[in-house]
Amino acid sequence: MTGETWKSVQERWRHHGRVMLGIALVATLVAWACEEAHLLESTEHIAYDEALVRYTGGREKSGQVVVVAIDQSTIDRISQDPQLQLNFGNWPYTRTLWARIAQELKAAGARAVLFDAVMDERTADESADLGFAQALRETGLPFYVGMASSGSAKPLVRADFQAPVPLTAPEAAPPASPPDGDSFPEEFEEAPAPATPVLTPEALARALAFPVRRTDGRPLPRLGDTPSQPSSSPRYPVPPTSALVNAVNGVGLVDMEADGDGSIRRTSFAYTDGLNTYVTLPVRMMADLLGAKEVTLSGRTLRLGERTWPVDANGSAALDYGGSLQERFVMVRLFDVLNDWIRRAKGDTPLLPADTFQDKVVVIGGTAVGLNDIKATPFSPTEPGLVKQATVVDTLLSGRFITRASPGVDLGLTFLVALVSAVLLVTARWTLLEVVWPLALVLGLHALMGLLLKTSHTHVLMAMPALAGVGASVAALAFNHLVANRETQFIRQAFHRFMEPKLVEQMIRSRQLPRLDGENKEITAFFSDIRGFSTFSERFKEDPRQLVRILNTYLTAVSGALLHEGGCLDKYIGDAVVCLFGAPMAQEDHAVRACRGALAAKAAVDALRVDFHQKGFPDVYTRIGVNSAVNFVGNFGSDQLFSYTAIGDGMNLAARLEGANKAYGSVIMIGPRTYELAKDHIEVRELDRVRVAGKTEAVTVYELLALKGGLDASMRQTVARYHEALALYREARFAEAAAVLEAEAARSPEDGPTAKLLERCREYMEAPPENFDGVANLEK
């Protein structure tokens, strides 16, 4: 960033700082209000899902959790095998099947089993339930089943975890025996099942509930609450069958916990029905595996035994899926587990690899579409619901949940985005940036969200800061438009009298508005003055109105020639005219325009001189100075009066060149930079090398004679002879130079520069100068 650009930025900050801050504050408050009213919820869900998939997907498979899938092929294989169908029936299978699965998983070395289903209905063959319970007791395999909540379920009594758990006398039950035609090995035939225990209300409540303690005073969610809205009516847990309650190691909630759009993104770890507390199925299992007697929620921390996990302040957390179910977990068909049990019972070697279940937590659940357990997740709209349980178990074993950033962070980011948007667009005022910024803002926030999800498992809101940023951008553009309209009107009013109206409109249409606060830029300055204007005005001291009419006629002629070439009239100082080329409207050919304007002004004055001579008016012989340089242009003045002008050494030199014409007998003198920029378009005579007062460096000055190709043969000869004499003069060969000039003066006596240089050569012939360097001093 250049120094001038930085000055411009500071100027806009100083003038519009409060506006930028106000825009940011209003945009932040509007976005916050929309977030609080849940108007951005669906947008936030979409952004979160895309970021989660893009930045956290593709993780390697879990090494601690294996999924046993009740897939369509399992259902088909069992239904197509008469013996299996006879033994286990159609879906939902008899509990005998799950007894065999538990026996096989125990034999295969499974650490624990999480059964993502409820078993809250007694089967027609009660002995199958009792046989399943007996198998679980015999294997000793930690086995956990789900329970749902319902508005029609009966409330439980308060669970007393300190008192013993009494059972009533068991009811009689018929012995269990395998169905006719059972082809299983004799050693695995059903043993007589024990009687069905009848749980007391106190024992049932203790079996289903689990101690949960909040140390921060916040309430637990009620049963049936979802992340998007609370339950509309009281709900209570539906217990498994009595035969299983004491046979399984634990029971946990398996409610869906979906957001308002039906997608599963979060989980709460504990719920209450107002009397007892309950935990989700994965938490119930992990409590046993970690030896925890209670679940503790403290602020933003979940504790089980000695293990802790960061969670949100409300006791929930988002699930770090890491990919789809197939991508994240080893999948084993239920039929393959059953088949290995049959092979193992017959003495054959199981087909599954020996380490498939060794020391792994096994999650059993349905993946077949017909089981009605297909749910939506960020990774797929048709994902088996057991992916939630598997993900929670895997995270509790060795991962982290995704937690929301604190409200202060979200609000701070929102304000920062709004402020940056306002400052950037109000300061820059660049059309491309105005178009690209909103898109870049959204993409940048999306990338930020994704990177934070990946690196710190933190969910920073995107929709709220994006809305604030876009809103601030729109407000900034509206403000810019208002300011631009004001500036346009000011430019139109300020310059329409000093520039051709069509150029003013072109400058406005092309958005080449001048920076009124000032800027450094290269321009070409024009200065003109009437020779002997004091004497001129003296003649009209008795008739000042006539002087005004004559002067106005003169200024109109000169100004018209300059405006025609695109010049901007800077000021009139009596009879003097100051004009700028290249400002306020940028003109790459400002030097050429100034030269054409100077020649046109000279021609207009020559015609005016003839007219004035015929009317008996004084002569208006005019001298002109033109110089190109970098000057500081902008509005200068006081609170009472200011105007658009330029200041700098370049302007001073232009004024000096106008006055120096007197010493050289020339009409239009131009500086070296003007010659360099316009030399391909003009005819000039090199007059001399001069040193301006206060400067040590000498510059070459030129007389502007005509546009390219506009010199006649006589003038070309005059210029050639002058250059020949000038070269001799610079070598201090004054007599030889005078001889050349005398010959040319005799041929062209009206040529002023020839006469002036001849006069100087004669003077130096009589009194040679000391330390002559060929440079003339251009005094003030």
PDB file of all heavy atoms in Angstrom, residues 63 186 218 410 673:
ATOM      1  N   GLY A  63     -11.299 -49.145  15.693  1.00  0.00           N
ATOM      2  CA  GLY A  63     -10.649 -50.384  16.120  1.00  0.00           C
ATOM      3  C   GLY A  63     -11.233 -50.945  17.392  1.00  0.00           C
ATOM      4  O   GLY A  63     -10.736 -51.954  17.919  1.00  0.00           O
ATOM      5  N   GLU A 186     -27.113 -81.600  20.295  1.00  0.00           N
ATOM      6  CA  GLU A 186     -27.772 -81.902  21.560  1.00  0.00           C
ATOM      7  C   GLU A 186     -27.222 -81.069  22.712  1.00  0.00           C
ATOM      8  O   GLU A 186     -27.947 -80.652  23.594  1.00  0.00           O
ATOM      9  CB  GLU A 186     -27.620 -83.388  21.905  1.00  0.00           C
ATOM     10  CG  GLU A 186     -28.385 -84.302  20.967  1.00  0.00           C
ATOM     11  CD  GLU A 186     -28.240 -85.758  21.386  1.00  0.00           C
ATOM     12  OE1 GLU A 186     -27.524 -86.005  22.388  1.00  0.00           O
ATOM     13  OE2 GLU A 186     -28.815 -86.617  20.738  1.00  0.00           O
ATOM     14  N   ARG A 218     -28.297 -26.642  36.552  1.00  0.00           N
ATOM     15  CA  ARG A 218     -29.127 -26.635  35.348  1.00  0.00           C
ATOM     16  C   ARG A 218     -30.005 -27.882  35.326  1.00  0.00           C
ATOM     17  O   ARG A 218     -29.584 -28.952  35.785  1.00  0.00           O
ATOM     18  CB  ARG A 218     -28.266 -26.576  34.094  1.00  0.00           C
ATOM     19  CG  ARG A 218     -27.443 -25.305  33.965  1.00  0.00           C
ATOM     20  CD  ARG A 218     -26.499 -25.388  32.793  1.00  0.00           C
ATOM     21  NE  ARG A 218     -27.235 -25.417  31.535  1.00  0.00           N
ATOM     22  CZ  ARG A 218     -27.396 -24.371  30.739  1.00  0.00           C
ATOM     23  NH1 ARG A 218     -26.889 -23.199  31.090  1.00  0.00           N
ATOM     24  NH2 ARG A 218     -28.050 -24.465  29.609  1.00  0.00           N
ATOM     25  N   ASP A 410     -19.449 -16.740  19.516  1.00  0.00           N
ATOM     26  CA  ASP A 410     -20.293 -16.589  18.331  1.00  0.00           C
ATOM     27  C   ASP A 410     -20.656 -15.131  18.098  1.00  0.00           C
ATOM     28  O   ASP A 410     -20.605 -14.627  16.966  1.00  0.00           O
ATOM     29  CB  ASP A 410     -21.568 -17.424  18.480  1.00  0.00           C
ATOM     30  CG  ASP A 410     -21.315 -18.910  18.335  1.00  0.00           C
ATOM     31  OD1 ASP A 410     -20.390 -19.266  17.593  1.00  0.00           O
ATOM     32  OD2 ASP A 410     -22.038 -19.706  18.951  1.00  0.00           O
ATOM     33  N   ARG A 673       9.688  17.627 -18.892  1.00  0.00           N
ATOM     34  CA  ARG A 673       8.802  16.466 -18.797  1.00  0.00           C
ATOM     35  C   ARG A 673       7.673  16.560 -19.813  1.00  0.00           C
ATOM     36  O   ARG A 673       7.278  15.550 -20.398  1.00  0.00           O
ATOM     37  CB  ARG A 673       8.242  16.380 -17.372  1.00  0.00           C
ATOM     38  CG  ARG A 673       7.277  15.219 -17.143  1.00  0.00           C
ATOM     39  CD  ARG A 673       7.909  13.872 -17.427  1.00  0.00           C
ATOM     40  NE  ARG A 673       6.968  12.789 -17.157  1.00  0.00           N
ATOM     41  CZ  ARG A 673       7.152  11.526 -17.542  1.00  0.00           C
ATOM     42  NH1 ARG A 673       8.254  11.193 -18.218  1.00  0.00           N
ATOM     43  NH2 ARG A 673       6.257  10.621 -17.263  1.00  0.00           N
TER      44      ARG A 673
END
